[in-house]
Amino acid sequence: MASRRALKAVLVDLSGTLHIEDAAVPGAQEALKRLRGTSVIVRFVTNTTKESKQDLLERLRKLEFDVSEDEIFTSLTAARSLLEQKQVRPMLLVDDRALPDFKGIKTSDPNAVVIGLAPEHFHYQILNQAFRLLLDGAPLIAIHKARYYKRKDGLALGPGPFVTALEYATDTKATVVGKPEKTFFLEALRGTGCEPEEAVMIGDDCRDDVGGAQDAGMLGILVKTGKYRAADEEKINPPPYLTCESFPHAVDHILQYLL
């Protein structure tokens, strides 16, 4: 840390790091309280696209996490901002529970394709409709391109393979708005008054959470919960600043060594 500035902000992934579906990672609530007892700013950053920010907030509060809505920055938020900038009418390939975050966005006669995690919509007819829009020149916007994520019954395909299939079939390249994009992390820090060199990211996805944050100039801590698999830390270069068992262990390290 000698060449870095003092730590001022901690970005925390949600699914796989604080909780897995409706179960909290053991000790995570207490660890968050300890982190909040310091001077650092805490923000929650997530690629979750299967539920709206309000539903996500309710889930976290039911799990007894002390979180406010303005502390959560999601890839859905970033996607909506891009749609408003581009002034396009999207075909929304997202879970129905995520639709409230796109309220007010016109979707009739679509001229763009937005794809998130939407297991109920990933079937041939819908994907073929998206394929035809893209062939006609519609832009492809990926809320994120995660390969897989953790559910209670095990690992499951994320939206990444479906985005890649559409890219391959149409010879186009998606605009990605969520992690690991540098702009996502910078937007998450907006309003905190913190520079990337003053922040650390904690997450269970080596590429999207840790690699993306480190590419943006932050430190990255990889936790061995959620989607983590043995040797994930060897998949990025430079490797994570730290790999540890869980969110509470990451907080222990921050309190002992980074403050």
Side-chain angles (χ1 to χ4, degrees):
M1 286 290 288
S3 62
R4 301 181 61 85
R5 303 182 189 180
L7 184 67
K8 292 184 179 179
V10 178
L11 304 186
V12 184
D13 175 51
L14 293 175
S15 178
T17 301
L18 288 189
H19 70 96
I20 297 171
E21 295 191 335
D22 291 320
V25 168
Q29 297 98 326
E30 180 58 33
L32 180 58
K33 290 178 182 177
R34 289 190 286 122
L35 187 60
R36 288 197 183 280
T38 71
S39 61
V40 300
I41 296 169
V42 180
R43 291 289 183 269
F44 303 93
V45 293
T46 176
N47 270 351
T48 296
T49 65
K50 61 181 182 293
E51 57 191 342
S52 68
K53 182 188 284 191
Q54 190 59 45
D55 287 345
L56 181 58
L57 183 61
E58 290 177 11
R59 180 196 294 266
L60 293 171
R61 287 178 173 169
K62 284 179 181 178
L63 294 174
E64 300 182 351
F65 285 107
D66 176 21
V67 178
S68 61
E69 186 173 357
D70 62 358
E71 292 177 318
I72 300 175
F73 185 74
T74 78
S75 51
L76 292 175
T77 305
R80 183 188 177 105
S81 295
L82 182 62
L83 291 174
E84 291 173 339
Q85 291 171 23
K86 288 183 172 292
Q87 297 184 327
V88 291
R89 302 179 303 278
M91 173 187 180
L92 290 172
L93 269 173
V94 300
D95 192 286
D96 291 346
R97 291 172 296 173
L99 292 177
D101 283 5
F102 295 96
K103 186 177 180 179
I105 297 288
K106 294 181 179 179
T107 58
S108 59
D109 189 23
N111 59 0
V113 175
V114 173
I115 184 168
L117 181 60
E120 300 301 318
H121 301 305
F122 287 161
H123 56 78
Y124 187 85
Q125 184 177 353
I126 294 293
L127 288 172
N128 201 52
Q129 183 181 344
F131 163 72
R132 289 175 176 176
L133 282 171
L134 297 173
L135 281 184
D136 288 338
L140 176 60
I141 298 170
I143 300 178
H144 64 89
K145 288 184 73 175
R147 293 167 170 81
Y148 50 86
Y149 67 105
K150 181 66 178 289
R151 300 191 313 203
K152 286 184 291 187
D153 61 351
L155 294 177
L157 282 172
F162 300 93
V163 174
T164 302
L166 288 171
E167 288 179 319
Y168 173 75
T170 59
D171 198 24
T172 58
K173 192 72 175 173
T175 298
V176 183
V177 295
K179 296 178 288 186
E181 297 303 302
K182 180 178 180 180
T183 52
F184 179 89
F185 291 98
L186 298 181
E187 280 294 313
L189 282 182
R190 185 190 291 248
T192 65
C194 302
E195 297 297 325
E197 295 77 14
E198 300 168 320
V200 61
M201 171 75 203
I202 305 171
D204 68 316
D205 189 307
C206 193
R207 293 185 179 93
D208 289 356
D209 293 329
V210 176
Q214 293 190 156
D215 286 345
M218 306 176 187
L219 293 179
I221 297 179
L222 179 65
V223 293
K224 295 183 178 181
T225 51
K227 67 167 61 174
Y228 174 85
R229 293 173 68 80
D232 273 358
E233 57 268 39
E234 299 173 10
K235 294 178 180 177
I236 61 170
N237 186 27
Y241 160 74
L242 174 71
T243 301
C244 61
E245 292 302 315
S246 66
F247 177 71
H249 291 89
V251 171
D252 288 342
H253 180 90
I254 289 171
L255 298 183
Q256 185 171 356
Y257 297 106
L258 298 182
L259 294 178

